[in-house]
Amino acid sequence: MRRRVLIQKGKNPGEPHVITINCPDKTGISCDICRTILDYGLYITKGDVSTDGRWCYIVLWVVPQSSIPIVRWPNLKNRLLSLCPSCTVSFYLNQPSPRSLPSPVYLLSFCCLDRNELLHDVTQVLCELELTIERVKVTTTPDGRVLDLFFITDNL
């Protein structure tokens, strides 16, 4: 398999565009992808992330912010593709620096009624607080509730 990024524009004005990303998995890739999409002036209205620990499949439904006149879709596609790890396998020795200890990972969890742009709003606030999102687990229940688990570090 090879890494792929597909962007399907909404069929009618106002309908969300669907971004599909299929590539090797790495820690924090979903957070990097969401942050990039937010940087391009898009709202994430819904998302689905699947992984087996080696390969990930991400589908995001996005709509442009009303204040953004033009979204440069080809540039976004290239940027998202650049975030995906290559398909080649590489090994390296990662020895932590004795001078610095890694930041502890904190778990932020909340349960609430699901709504449009919830993931976008939460991600944006965490980014504004200069927190690094290491991993996200989002679960939506049939009764319209969502349980979000954010694994975050504060880099202090």
Side-chain angles (χ1 to χ4, degrees):
M1 287 185 98
R2 63 185 184 111
R3 56 192 184 148
R4 288 186 7 190
V5 174
L6 299 173
I7 299 176
Q8 297 172 314
K9 296 187 178 174
K11 294 177 184 174
N12 297 314
E15 285 187 5
H17 303 323
V18 180
I19 299 175
T20 304
I21 301 159
N22 191 8
C23 67
D25 198 6
K26 73 173 184 179
T27 303
I29 190 167
S30 297
C31 299
D32 294 340
I33 288 169
C34 288
R35 182 172 294 190
T36 299
I37 288 171
L38 296 175
D39 288 344
Y40 272 78
L42 300 168
Y43 289 119
I44 301 169
T45 61
K46 186 166 71 166
D48 183 32
V49 178
S50 298
T51 183
D52 62 2
R54 294 183 198 179
W55 203 262
C56 67
Y57 186 75
I58 302 168
V59 181
L60 299 169
W61 288 260
V62 301
V63 293
Q65 295 178 15
S66 59
S67 61
I68 303 298
I70 296 175
V71 176
R72 302 200 188 303
W73 296 104
N75 294 357
L76 174 60
K77 180 178 179 175
N78 290 336
R79 178 70 180 114
L80 293 174
L81 196 55
S82 74
L83 294 173
C84 296
S86 65
C87 297
T88 59
V89 177
S90 60
F91 296 94
Y92 61 93
L93 179 61
N94 184 11
Q95 293 180 330
S97 168
R99 289 176 263 127
S100 65
L101 295 173
S103 295
V105 177
Y106 299 98
L107 174 63
L108 170 67
S109 65
F110 64 92
C111 182
C112 63
L113 289 175
D114 196 11
R115 64 172 175 79
N116 284 342
E117 302 175 12
L118 178 63
L119 182 61
H120 168 269
D121 293 346
V122 174
T123 305
Q124 186 174 16
V125 168
L126 293 175
C127 291
E128 288 172 0
L129 293 171
E130 297 182 9
L131 297 171
T132 302
I133 303 169
E134 299 292 334
R135 190 170 44 151
V136 178
K137 172 71 176 164
V138 177
T139 306
T140 306
T141 62
D143 66 348
R145 293 180 118 355
V146 66
L147 173 63
D148 291 344
L149 302 174
F150 289 86
F151 297 83
I152 56 175
T153 57
D154 61 5
N155 298 317
L156 296 178

